[in-house]
């Protein structure tokens, strides 16, 4: 038989129930092992931090999964994990990055992003204030992008076994009929475009890492790109390829596409849009902007005839103001990506084996 | 003046390139060595070989501190890192260089050694303060550019009484290496390298000044032009060398006058002089034993010298037999002359350090130039 107090609780509105039951010290408290234990402490954490922020009917059901109608047509499905350090950086944080990254992976298929999952692995001792800040940021990014976080998971690992917090997001989107975008569609003669300035995110991150602090007001370019893609598809419905140049930068991404499509690429260094601050920081550290990560930019490959119209549509959008045509796809059995330098010489744009390292001397 | 855009101006570059083509005597060859790995990198990154006439040939010198470090010295660093209680701090480039028996600092880290990537000696000092129970060893490499910061770090450690901070010193010197290149030094290599002139290192010269090369130019009758790192700097310096050779001159010229002065950075030199002294000899990868070419900590700083502190015993290690790094570092062979270049030896699977370091001739050629793979020299 239920105790009278619990019975009374059943009739109270969910929101006020959460308020009454608030047990977490979100200002000074820390995550501890009980928050991952599957018991009441974990339920409180999920309720007061995650559900409170994400706030949607599917999540509020509290099921182990989200169930929804999808309608006819193709779905796009993607997943990403985020282990970035520092967790907070100019222009964003691991939370907003997680939403943008997954939304963008869907957008690169021309899909309309709709539903996200988010799984957190939190290190024991992580400040609840930071967790709330990250989750609130995710929620704001999701709202701005028009997507919902409908299911999730929470785990806590012992101190020393996690770098603060790791986040995995998966996403589902719907691909409109007639849209057929994938790497193998790159053809010799196609134009290569980029939606804006290169290297902003990577340099903003580096400028905040310990030991590399230098003065810059550069922000990460982390942003959701599905709105830009929708505008691009109106201007050029037969877009061939879209990809966002994240880790490894433009160099890695173009090489991936070249390998997949069995083509070569010729770039024009003078056409690359790069902010002076990024150029300066890269020179200081001995980095090549082509190898630096971007989180709010995309590469597009389209038929040559569509290039100017596509460029105009991109520049008209808030996330494509500095868009540029940067090269051409060519026939090449070797699948090399090369670039005409501002000097008139030609050199390869290779992808690096591992992380790009700052110069020693 | 922004210092980057102006020195990458394409139209100015074309003017200089045309001058080089016009003034280079078609009846002779100009074999010019860029000593510094940063210059090798710039040459390939900007496609400068495409702009030079065929009789002006760049030979890639050994000015890459990662590339010239002998395997034996790296093996010692790995051994140090494997010792309990030691935290080895190293520049990123050194982490992937293969030592003996396929070991590397990266592999040692995966096996549990405490190896940390740092951007400077200051980072290592900070770690020493933060981790008083660990022995922090800074793996110091580099030519004269990175030597002053190491020396400063030792002075600070001594002043603060940071007993857990020490330096494993592998700093090397440029002028002795230049001298050595011109002597028939390597007994395995019967043919002396023929170099007509040198594009001199940029940042090294900021520290040591142009005066440091005077004796070298006079004695060996080879022109040296100190060049900045921008592509226009390099092209201009090549033009200046061509002119000197045409005129039969052999002097030191300073193209990098916006940063280099005749006497160099006297304060830096004084600090280095206080902390470090010259070793009688030091083994260089590719060049063999080179006299008076490297530095070690002075006895008064022995407490911060990892070699004293950890009773390190020098070991001579064997190179991979197929690896042509030694010949490439001496400018005798090109990366494409190496039988394993691009096949067995790639940036993912480097056999020798010329491929690992971003400034190594092989890595530069592979990353920027292999679209000309079947090309002839």
């Amino acid at each position: 038989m239920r105790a009278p107090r619990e019975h009374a609780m059943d009739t109270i509105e969910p929101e006020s129930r959460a308020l009454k039951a608030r047990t977490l010290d979100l200002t000074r408290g820390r995550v501890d092992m009980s928050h991952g234990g599957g018991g009441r402490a974990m339920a409180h954490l999920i309720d007061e931090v995650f559900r409170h922020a994400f706030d949607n009917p599917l999540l509020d059901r509290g099921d182990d999964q989200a169930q929804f109608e999808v309608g006819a047509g193709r779905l796009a499905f993607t997943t990403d994990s985020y282990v970035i350090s520092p967790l907070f950086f100019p222009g964003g944080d691991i939370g907003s990055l997680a939403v943008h990254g997954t939304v963008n992976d869907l957008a690169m298929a021309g899909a309309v992003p709709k539903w996200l999952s988010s799984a957190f692995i939190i290190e024991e001792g992580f400040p609840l204030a930071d967790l709330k800040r990250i989750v609130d940021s995710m929620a704001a990014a999701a709202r701005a992008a028009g997507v919902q976080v409908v299911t999730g998971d929470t785990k806590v690992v012992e101190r020393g076994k996690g770098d603060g917090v790791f986040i995995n997001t998966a996403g589902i989107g719907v691909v409109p009929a007639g849209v057929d975008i994938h790497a193998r569609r790159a053809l010799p003669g196609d134009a290569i475009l980029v939606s804006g300035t290169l290297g902003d995110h990577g340099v903003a991150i580096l400028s905040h890492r310990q030991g590399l602090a230098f003065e810059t007001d550069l922000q990460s370019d982390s942003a959701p790109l599905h709105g830009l893609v929708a505008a691009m598809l109106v201007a050029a419905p037969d877009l061939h390829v879209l990809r966002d140049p994240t880790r490894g930068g433009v160099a890695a991404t173009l090489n991936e596409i070249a390998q997949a499509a069995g083509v070569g690429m010729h770039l024009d260094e003078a056409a690359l849009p790069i902010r002076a601050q990024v150029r300066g920081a890269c020179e200081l550290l001995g980095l090549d902007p082509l190898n630096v990560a971007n989180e709010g930019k995309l590469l597009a490959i389209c038929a040559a005839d569509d290039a100017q119209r596509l460029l105009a549509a991109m520049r008209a959008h808030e996330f494509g103001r500095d868009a540029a045509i940067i090269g051409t796809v060519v026939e090449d059995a070797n699948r090399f990506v090369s670039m005409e330098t501002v000097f008139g010489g030609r050199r390869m744009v290779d992808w690096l084996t591992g992380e790009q390292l700052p110069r020693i001397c | 003046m922004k210092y980057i855009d102006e020195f990458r101006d394409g139209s100015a570059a074309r003017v200089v390139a045309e001058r080089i083509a016009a003034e280079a005597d078609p009846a002779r060859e100009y074999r010019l060595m860029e000593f510094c790995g940063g210059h090798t990198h710039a040459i390939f990154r900007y496609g400068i070989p495409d702009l030079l006439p065929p009789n002006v040939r760049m030979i890639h010198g050994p000015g890459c501190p990662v590339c010239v470090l002998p395997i034996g010295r790296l093996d010692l660093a790995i051994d140090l890192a494997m010792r309990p209680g030691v935290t080895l701090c190293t520049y990123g480039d050194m982490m992937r260089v293969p030592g003996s028996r396929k070991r590397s600092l990266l592999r040692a880290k995966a096996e549990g050694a405490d190896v940390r990537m740092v951007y400077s000696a200051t980072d290592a000092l900070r770690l020493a303060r933060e981790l008083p129970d660990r022995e922090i060893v800074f793996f110091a490499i580099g030519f004269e550019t990175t030597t002053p910061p190491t020396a400063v770090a030792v002075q600070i450690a001594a002043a603060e009484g940071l007993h857990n901070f020490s330096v494993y010193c592998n700093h090397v010197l440029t002028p002795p290496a230049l001298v050595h290149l011109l002597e028939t030094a390597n007994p395995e290599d019967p043919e002396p390298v023929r170099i007509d002139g040198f594009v001199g290192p940029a940042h090294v010269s900021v520290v040591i000044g142009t005066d440091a090369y005077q004796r070298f130019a006079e004695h060996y009758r080879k022109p040296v032009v100190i060049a900045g790192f921008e592509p226009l700097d390099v092209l201009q310096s090549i033009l200046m060398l061509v002119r000197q050779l045409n005129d039969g001159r052999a002097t030191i010229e300073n193209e990098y006058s916006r940063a280099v002065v005749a006497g160099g950075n006297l304060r830096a030199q004084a600090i280095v002089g206080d902390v470090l002294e010259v070793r009688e000899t030091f083994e260089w990868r590719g060049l063999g034993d080179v006299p008076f070419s490297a530095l070690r900590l002075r006895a008064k700083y022995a407490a911060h010298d990892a070699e004293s502190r950890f009773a390190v015993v020098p070991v001579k290690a064997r190179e991979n037999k197929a690896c042509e790094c030694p010949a490439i570092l001496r400018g005798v062979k090109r990366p494409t002359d190496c039988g394993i270049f691009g096949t067995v030896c790639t940036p993912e699977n480097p056999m020798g350090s010329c491929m690992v370091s971003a400034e190594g001739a092989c890595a530069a050629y592979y990353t920027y130039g292999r679209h000309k793979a079947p090309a002839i020299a």
Side-chain angles (χ1 to χ4, degrees):
Chain A
M1 180 162 126
R2 275 187 183 163
R5 200 158 124 234
E6 281 173 11
H7 190 71
M9 291 285 267
D10 286 341
T11 61
I12 295 174
E13 295 304 319
E15 194 180 297
S16 54
R17 181 179 0 179
L19 278 171
K20 279 199 177 344
R22 179 153 295 189
T23 57
L24 297 177
D25 180 358
L26 291 171
T27 324
R28 280 180 302 272
R30 288 177 182 271
V31 174
D32 63 54
M33 294 307 297
S34 71
H35 291 120
R40 203 172 292 165
M42 189 171 106
H44 285 312
L45 183 75
I46 292 171
D47 206 44
E48 291 168 39
V49 177
F50 295 97
R51 264 204 222 129
H52 186 253
F54 294 136
D55 188 28
N56 61 74
L58 279 173
L59 193 61
D60 284 343
R61 292 223 189 106
D63 289 330
D64 283 339
Q65 77 294 125
Q67 302 176 36
F68 42 82
E69 300 287 333
V70 295
R74 264 181 302 143
L75 292 180
F77 178 43
T78 185
T79 185
D80 266 295
S81 296
Y82 297 87
V83 301
I84 195 169
S85 173
L87 297 171
F88 304 99
F89 45 85
D93 52 66
I94 189 174
S96 56
L97 194 67
V99 169
H100 295 152
T102 294
V103 160
N104 289 344
D105 278 349
L106 293 172
M108 295 305 112
V112 178
K114 313 244 334 174
W115 305 284
L116 260 51
S117 70
S118 93
F120 276 63
I121 299 175
I122 314 168
E123 189 183 2
E124 180 186 21
F126 193 70
L128 281 169
D130 285 350
L131 184 65
K132 179 163 162 42
R133 193 173 153 197
I134 289 168
V135 175
D136 285 349
S137 169
M138 272 183 93
R143 268 191 301 278
V147 299
Q148 294 186 334
V149 177
V150 298
T151 189
D153 183 67
T154 310
K155 294 284 183 301
V156 180
V157 293
E158 283 177 354
R159 194 184 293 272
K161 298 199 174 170
D163 196 15
V165 65
F166 298 140
I167 302 177
N168 169 277
T169 44
I172 295 179
V174 178
V175 185
V179 171
D180 183 27
I181 298 174
H182 57 86
R184 277 182 309 289
R185 289 200 64 204
L187 293 171
D190 281 356
I192 305 169
L193 293 87
V194 69
S195 62
T197 52
L198 305 181
D200 298 356
H201 175 79
V203 170
I205 297 295
L206 272 177
S207 75
H208 255 62
R209 283 226 181 107
Q210 247 186 342
L212 278 180
F214 45 79
E215 288 170 22
T216 172
D217 58 2
L218 209 48
Q219 309 237 305
S220 165
D221 61 351
S222 178
L225 298 174
H226 54 306
L228 173 63
V229 171
M232 289 164 69
L233 283 170
V234 168
D238 190 37
L239 259 183
H240 292 173
V241 186
L242 284 175
R243 198 162 287 193
D244 58 340
T246 52
R247 272 193 194 195
V250 165
T253 306
L254 288 179
N255 273 284
E256 280 170 16
I257 298 170
Q259 290 296 321
V263 295
M265 295 181 186
H266 282 178
L267 305 181
D268 178 12
E269 188 174 23
L272 298 177
I274 303 173
R275 284 180 207 258
Q277 288 188 45
V278 170
R279 218 189 278 278
C282 285
E283 272 320 297
L284 200 63
L285 296 169
L287 303 176
D288 186 343
L290 284 171
N291 295 119
V292 179
N294 308 273
E295 292 290 343
K297 301 289 174 350
L298 57 78
L299 288 161
I301 298 181
C302 69
D305 289 341
D306 288 336
Q308 289 302 328
R309 203 169 42 247
L310 188 59
L311 183 67
M314 289 164 84
R315 286 190 173 161
H317 192 276
E318 74 172 299
F319 293 134
R321 296 263 182 261
D322 295 313
I325 300 174
I326 62 168
T328 318
V329 178
V330 298
E331 273 210 39
D332 183 0
N334 288 315
R335 308 180 195 200
F336 287 142
V337 177
S338 65
M339 183 165 77
E340 179 161 323
T341 69
V342 290
F343 263 40
R346 181 165 283 282
R347 58 105 160 168
M348 274 189 66
V349 175
D350 209 358
W351 50 359
L352 301 177
T353 301
E355 210 185 317
Q356 194 177 190
L357 299 168
R359 65 193 301 163
I360 294 173
C361 51
Chain B
M1 168 68 84
K2 290 278 170 63
Y3 292 114
I4 296 179
D5 293 341
E6 285 83 349
F7 286 87
R8 293 186 190 177
D9 176 3
S11 47
R14 273 184 283 285
V15 169
V16 179
E18 278 159 24
R19 287 262 172 79
I20 294 173
E23 297 186 33
D25 180 352
R28 68 166 290 178
E29 256 213 331
Y30 300 79
R31 294 169 59 114
L32 309 174
M33 173 176 276
E34 88 277 357
F35 179 83
C36 165
H39 280 141
T40 308
H41 199 246
I43 283 167
F44 279 107
R45 185 177 157 184
Y46 292 97
I48 285 179
D50 288 349
L51 302 174
L52 298 175
N55 59 332
V56 177
R57 193 192 133 181
M58 302 308 299
I59 300 169
H60 313 306
C64 162
V66 174
C67 306
V68 297
L69 189 76
I71 288 188
R73 296 289 294 180
L74 174 60
D75 288 342
L76 286 174
I78 297 172
D79 288 341
L80 276 171
M82 299 289 306
R83 293 193 198 199
V86 169
T87 297
L88 188 87
C89 300
T90 174
Y91 294 119
D93 261 13
M94 284 310 305
M95 304 247 316
R96 290 179 49 239
V97 178
S100 297
R101 300 186 302 282
K102 298 194 178 178
R103 298 192 310 163
S104 70
L105 284 170
L106 197 65
R107 291 228 164 102
K109 183 171 159 59
E111 283 164 26
D114 190 3
V115 178
R116 316 248 181 140
M117 183 176 92
V118 292
Y119 298 108
S120 71
T122 326
D123 289 347
L125 268 180
R126 190 181 325 117
L127 269 178
R129 291 185 199 107
E130 286 171 8
L131 305 170
D133 295 331
R134 306 279 308 168
E135 280 287 333
I136 307 301
V137 177
F138 176 58
F139 185 6
I141 61 165
F143 288 83
E144 293 91 333
T145 315
T146 52
T147 308
T150 300
V152 169
V154 172
Q155 284 185 336
I156 291 175
E160 287 183 18
L162 261 181
H163 303 296
N164 61 330
F165 176 84
S166 62
V167 169
Y168 174 46
C169 183
N170 295 277
H171 284 300
V172 286
L173 301 171
T174 301
L178 288 171
V179 166
H180 198 76
L181 278 171
L182 295 178
E183 309 275 347
T184 312
N186 191 338
E188 290 157 52
D189 208 332
E191 188 193 322
V193 180
R194 206 204 93 210
I195 305 171
D196 299 322
F198 292 86
V199 174
H203 292 163
V204 163
S205 305
V206 169
V207 176
I208 67 177
T210 55
D211 287 345
Y213 304 93
Q214 277 305 129
R215 208 200 123 254
F216 171 80
E218 280 160 12
H219 185 86
Y220 291 97
R221 302 279 312 143
K222 302 285 181 189
V224 178
V225 176
I226 308 300
F229 279 120
E230 297 303 326
L232 208 54
D233 288 315
V234 176
L235 273 177
Q236 179 68 20
S237 304
I238 292 171
L239 177 61
M240 290 162 77
L241 281 168
V242 165
R243 285 177 174 164
Q244 283 208 43
L245 289 167
N246 288 346
D247 295 345
R249 288 179 290 132
T251 63
I252 313 296
E253 289 185 295
N254 182 5
E255 185 280 333
Y256 197 24
S257 53
R258 62 191 188 274
V260 174
V261 296
N265 183 330
L266 295 171
R267 183 125 190 272
Q269 291 169 27
I271 293 173
V272 169
D274 173 57
V275 176
L276 300 158
E277 63 188 10
V278 181
R279 299 179 193 256
E280 291 74 30
T281 185
F282 192 71
E283 190 201 342
W284 288 49
R285 190 165 189 167
L287 301 186
D289 289 310
V290 185
F292 305 115
S293 63
L295 300 172
R296 64 171 167 239
L297 268 66
R298 288 186 186 275
K300 64 175 168 172
Y301 290 105
H304 300 288
D305 182 349
E307 283 173 88
S308 310
R309 220 173 148 73
F310 295 97
V312 154
V313 175
V315 156
K316 190 164 172 70
R318 273 177 301 116
E319 305 260 340
N320 181 309
K321 285 208 183 71
C323 171
E324 293 279 16
C325 277
I328 291 165
L329 284 164
R330 302 188 74 237
V332 171
K333 286 196 173 159
R334 317 196 112 194
T336 42
D337 294 330
C338 176
I340 56 174
F341 171 79
T343 52
V344 176
C345 184
T346 62
E348 291 80 55
N349 185 36
M351 291 290 113
S353 44
C354 298
M355 186 59 91
V356 170
S357 166
E359 296 189 347
C362 295
Y365 198 83
Y366 187 92
T367 304
Y368 295 120
R370 78 177 185 284
H371 59 303
K372 303 177 188 173
I376 303 136

